[in-house]
Amino acid sequence: MLLSLVLHTYSMRYVLPTALMMGTAPTYVLAWGAWRLLSTLLPARVYHEVDDRLYTLYQSMVLFFFENYTGVQIILYGDLPKNKENVVYISNHQCTVDWIIADMLAVRQNALGHVRYVLKDGLKWLPLYGWYFSQHGGVYVKRSAKFNERKMRNKLQAQIKAGTPMYLVIFPEGTRYNPELPKTIADSQSYADKAGLAVLKHVLTPRVKATHVAIDSMRTYLDAVYDITVAYEGTVDQKGQRKVAPSMTDFLCKECPRIHIYVDRIALKDIPEEQMYMRRWLHERFEIKDKLLIEFYDAKDSKRRNKFPGKCVRSKLSLKKTLPSLLFLSGLTVSMLLTESGRKLYVKTWLYGTLIGCLWVSVKA
């Protein structure tokens, strides 16, 4: 009985946040859909300005749970500018929380609404979210030979033409680094070795195509490239071996006490233009990441573990930036659910929104 109660209490730590984040999704999609229809006769720039504000509203609520609710400590290293910029953001990838890390950095630059993702193609089928991410400027890509360079380039150039602020997030590894999948790691290392590239330990060999298309398409529009290295504290077992990074569920259950984020701002003039040379440059950037993570996980001196080298700053997100969004969206959703017509509209949004979204992404995304 006591064990059951403990497990129930533990599960509630993520059930409530998940229910609120997903439960407000139809309300958000209705608000966005209304604006999408109203803005059809307006310039694309005007649509994107309001869409970015709406996205900021929803993602601020998400950050309430992932930062304020969990109490996680965000420890920043390197040179994150205080002001918003047009950037391509490249990062190591180890879990779904990595998506939220981009939000955590963007909100500290007042650029939360400008975050857009390069995502693997299968995610476009997510109910409501998959369709909306594409509408917000996200790009779905297929791997290897199926990668459609022209489609990605055209979408990015259309957004530049509309003057859309850009905070484009790319995970060049293409899949997550997972210590429980040694074959994936071994295949990645074997590929690097055969290509004459340095073999990496704590990251996978990066793929250059999406990064090259993004930077090449927007080179004159971008201010910089942010090279981000992320480490989750508490991901080492008793034997000193690296464990799987926390899932969103684990994270909301407060299983990660601190996130260490190293930011390296790179000027465009320091990045090669040709894909062949950019591939080498990107791999060198991941070699730097690997050295940082080796220091974090494997340093012989235990005092040097669980931190990156150099000065750091503990950054706390104010409730003023997150709580109002939570109260507004949850209040709006509750008011809708209090009436029979509102409940019907809510359910229809889930059903028809998902159906229409799937039809749209099957043709457009």
Side-chain angles (χ1 to χ4, degrees):
M1 184 70 177
L2 180 59
L3 178 60
S4 177
L5 179 62
V6 170
L7 292 173
H8 178 71
T9 303
Y10 179 82
S11 67
M12 286 301 293
R13 296 168 81 175
Y14 73 86
V15 169
L16 179 60
T18 303
L20 282 168
M21 285 186 285
M22 295 192 67
T24 56
T27 311
Y28 177 81
V29 168
L30 280 170
W32 166 78
W35 168 243
R36 192 76 179 96
L37 289 172
L38 289 170
S39 65
T40 51
L41 299 178
L42 298 174
R45 176 183 55 80
V46 177
Y47 161 71
H48 284 297
E49 284 180 3
V50 177
D51 176 54
D52 283 2
R53 291 180 183 275
L54 289 171
Y55 189 75
T56 298
L57 179 70
Y58 186 83
Q59 292 303 119
S60 294
M61 179 191 67
V62 171
L63 285 176
F64 169 83
F65 290 112
F66 278 89
E67 281 208 54
N68 303 118
Y69 171 80
T70 62
V72 66
Q73 291 184 26
I74 306 300
I75 304 175
L76 300 178
Y77 305 75
D79 49 0
L80 179 69
K82 293 181 179 180
N83 300 319
K84 63 182 73 174
E85 299 183 288
N86 288 319
V87 300
V88 167
Y89 167 121
I90 58 174
S91 174
N92 58 316
H93 191 25
Q94 48 204 312
C95 62
T96 50
V97 182
D98 294 336
W99 296 359
I100 309 298
I101 301 298
D103 288 344
M104 291 176 176
L105 294 179
V107 75
R108 286 164 169 81
Q109 296 177 275
N110 294 314
L112 184 56
H114 305 164
V115 175
R116 311 172 208 284
Y117 297 95
V118 174
L119 299 162
K120 63 182 180 182
D121 192 64
L123 293 173
K124 69 185 182 183
W125 304 111
L126 286 172
L128 297 185
Y129 294 97
W131 177 32
Y132 176 71
F133 281 148
S134 179
Q135 290 288 312
H136 183 62
V139 182
Y140 291 106
V141 296
K142 295 180 180 179
R143 295 175 182 170
S144 302
K146 294 182 179 180
F147 177 78
N148 191 328
E149 177 179 332
R150 180 182 296 179
K151 196 171 185 178
M152 180 177 177
R153 192 179 292 274
N154 288 344
K155 184 159 190 176
L156 293 175
Q157 289 177 343
Q159 293 184 73
I160 292 173
K161 187 176 180 180
T164 307
M166 189 58 63
Y167 203 101
L168 187 68
V169 179
I170 303 176
F171 300 110
E173 290 160 286
T175 192
R176 288 173 244 168
Y177 178 98
N178 186 341
E180 293 184 356
L181 298 176
K183 186 178 183 304
T184 300
I185 297 171
D187 288 346
S188 175
Q189 292 173 336
S190 175
Y191 174 82
D193 187 45
K194 289 178 181 178
L197 301 169
V199 174
L200 308 173
K201 180 179 180 181
H202 285 293
V203 291
L204 301 178
T205 303
R207 304 161 187 252
V208 73
K209 287 182 180 179
T211 303
H212 176 259
V213 171
I215 295 175
D216 187 58
S217 300
M218 303 188 292
R219 184 173 284 270
T220 59
Y221 190 71
L222 297 172
D223 296 303
V225 169
Y226 291 173
D227 184 5
I228 310 297
T229 306
V230 179
Y232 298 92
E233 199 165 319
T235 50
V236 175
D237 63 22
Q238 294 178 345
K239 296 181 180 179
Q241 298 298 309
R242 186 173 172 185
K243 299 190 300 182
V244 178
S247 65
M248 286 189 177
T249 299
D250 296 331
F251 197 89
L252 290 170
C253 287
K254 308 182 181 182
E255 292 193 5
C256 179
R258 283 171 288 276
I259 304 174
H260 298 257
I261 307 171
Y262 197 102
V263 182
D264 197 352
R265 183 186 184 279
I266 303 170
L268 271 298
K269 64 180 179 62
D270 296 328
I271 302 174
E273 295 188 21
E274 293 185 30
Q275 182 172 316
M276 178 177 64
Y277 297 114
M278 189 181 289
R279 178 192 184 201
R280 175 72 62 176
W281 170 84
L282 185 62
H283 196 85
E284 289 172 354
R285 296 309 309 178
F286 270 72
E287 285 182 59
I288 294 171
K289 291 180 185 297
D290 202 42
K291 290 175 181 177
L292 287 170
L293 292 168
I294 288 171
E295 182 78 6
F296 188 91
Y297 290 112
D298 305 328
K300 293 181 180 179
D301 184 353
S302 60
K303 293 180 180 179
R304 289 166 54 191
R305 290 182 209 142
N306 288 319
K307 61 182 179 181
F308 291 133
K311 295 181 180 179
C312 64
V313 176
R314 295 177 187 271
S315 178
K316 187 173 182 179
L317 184 61
S318 171
L319 277 171
K320 292 179 182 179
K321 288 198 171 186
T322 58
L323 186 57
S325 296
L326 169 66
L327 296 176
F328 178 77
L329 285 172
S330 57
L332 201 60
T333 303
V334 169
S335 65
M336 180 186 296
L337 295 175
L338 287 176
T339 65
E340 184 178 352
S341 59
R343 289 191 291 272
K344 288 181 179 179
L345 180 59
Y346 182 88
V347 172
K348 287 179 179 179
T349 302
W350 265 118
L351 294 176
Y352 296 126
T354 298
L355 179 60
I356 293 170
C358 287
L359 289 172
W360 191 91
V361 296
S362 67
V363 176
K364 295 285 188 178

